[in-house]
Amino acid sequence: MVITPLTNRCYLGLTGALHRKLGGGVIGATGSGKTETIKELGNALAMHTVVFNCSDKLKSFAVERFLKGVASSGAWAILDDIARVQVEVLSVVAQQISTIQRAQQQQAENFVFGGMEIPLVSSCAIFFTMNFGHTPCNKIPANLKKLFRPVSMVIPEYDMVAEISLYSLGFSNANALSKKIHTFFRLLFDQLASQV
Ligand SMILES: Nc1ncnc2c1ncn2[C@@H]1O[C@H](COP(=O)(O)OP(=O)(O)O)[C@@H](O)[C@H]1O
Ligand SMILES: [Mg+2]
């Protein structure tokens, strides 16, 4: 993972959210590095990060069991492409996340979640990613939105990612090569963007 000004801004947004015991929501085009950036931040802070692939078949009790594990182990959860989940389920998920965040803000050691008392490890955090274009952003219920600090990632710095990756692979003329790769990625990105 190459650290670029875009990933840095995303880190700032997410760590700001963590400081206020909120979650972070990264919104952007497919392939802009949303999931990887959150994972990389987790690695940098030595946090166990779990990516949860959301789907339209997801039920609230499945999320409840997952979040129970996250809260009691202090891990980080990334709800990947949250907009795929049905709105009714998202409303319930918002209540569940709100319960965890409230307990964190009160610095509780135990709290009641899903009808049972569970321990709370304060380092736990919940993030989501959302691909725009794929599903309308307004699908996300307001009670869920307010629990997350939004960060948007639009166009990744392909030339920088390519140049640093090439240098790390041993290419000495990475600067010239990265310009060619950049042009290729831009074309690919424009093509992908026109399809959604
Ligand atoms: N800053 C970066 N440095 C290196 N690779 C990156 C960077 N940003 C994205 N990538 C690569 O781009 C691909 C897509 O990233 P991903 O996080 O899955 O995108 P998204 O979640 O936005 O769809 C991954 O293979 C990832 O390794
Ligand atoms: Mg992703």
Side-chain angles (χ1 to χ4, degrees):
M1 182 85 188
V2 177
I3 308 298
T4 64
L6 180 74
T7 59
N8 253 340
R9 279 196 297 275
C10 182
Y11 290 165
L12 283 174
L14 297 182
T15 45
L18 288 176
H19 187 67
R20 302 185 60 192
K21 301 282 179 217
L22 287 172
V26 187
I27 304 159
T30 311
S32 53
K34 301 182 294 295
T35 316
E36 289 298 322
T37 307
I38 308 176
K39 261 166 65 183
E40 190 66 20
L41 180 65
N43 288 347
L45 297 175
M47 297 305 304
H48 184 68
T49 311
V50 187
V51 181
F52 190 90
N53 273 313
C54 295
S55 80
D56 53 351
K57 306 273 183 314
L58 197 66
K59 296 280 178 275
S60 58
F61 66 83
V63 185
E64 186 184 286
R65 282 175 60 183
F66 173 67
L67 293 179
K68 212 178 265 182
V70 167
S72 53
S73 66
W76 279 15
I78 307 175
L79 303 172
D80 210 18
D81 207 355
I82 200 167
R84 279 199 218 142
V85 183
Q86 289 167 338
V87 186
E88 308 82 71
V89 179
L90 281 181
S91 269
V92 183
V93 172
Q95 288 305 317
Q96 294 163 345
I97 296 175
S98 154
T99 310
I100 299 177
Q101 288 186 357
R102 208 170 327 118
Q104 272 183 312
Q105 281 152 7
Q106 289 165 356
Q107 298 176 341
E109 284 183 5
N110 296 292
F111 72 116
V112 178
F113 186 76
M116 63 188 276
E117 189 161 329
I118 58 163
L120 175 73
V121 179
S122 62
S123 61
C124 72
I126 299 150
F127 301 92
F128 75 74
T129 73
M130 190 160 80
N131 294 326
F132 60 50
H134 172 61
T135 353
C137 296
N138 56 13
K139 210 189 132 204
I140 304 290
N143 61 341
L144 183 67
K145 258 188 216 164
K146 76 174 193 334
L147 305 173
F148 293 89
R149 193 173 162 171
V151 176
S152 92
M153 291 185 76
V154 186
I155 304 169
E157 281 106 344
Y158 291 120
D159 46 352
M160 202 167 162
V161 172
E163 186 181 344
I164 296 170
S165 305
L166 288 170
Y167 271 126
S168 74
L169 290 169
F171 288 88
S172 53
N173 57 342
N175 191 284
L177 288 174
S178 72
K179 299 229 167 17
K180 294 184 189 172
I181 294 180
H182 181 195
T183 317
F184 169 73
F185 273 122
R186 271 247 46 121
L187 289 172
L188 191 70
F189 191 84
D190 289 347
Q191 202 176 356
L192 282 175
S194 65
Q195 277 173 11
V196 290

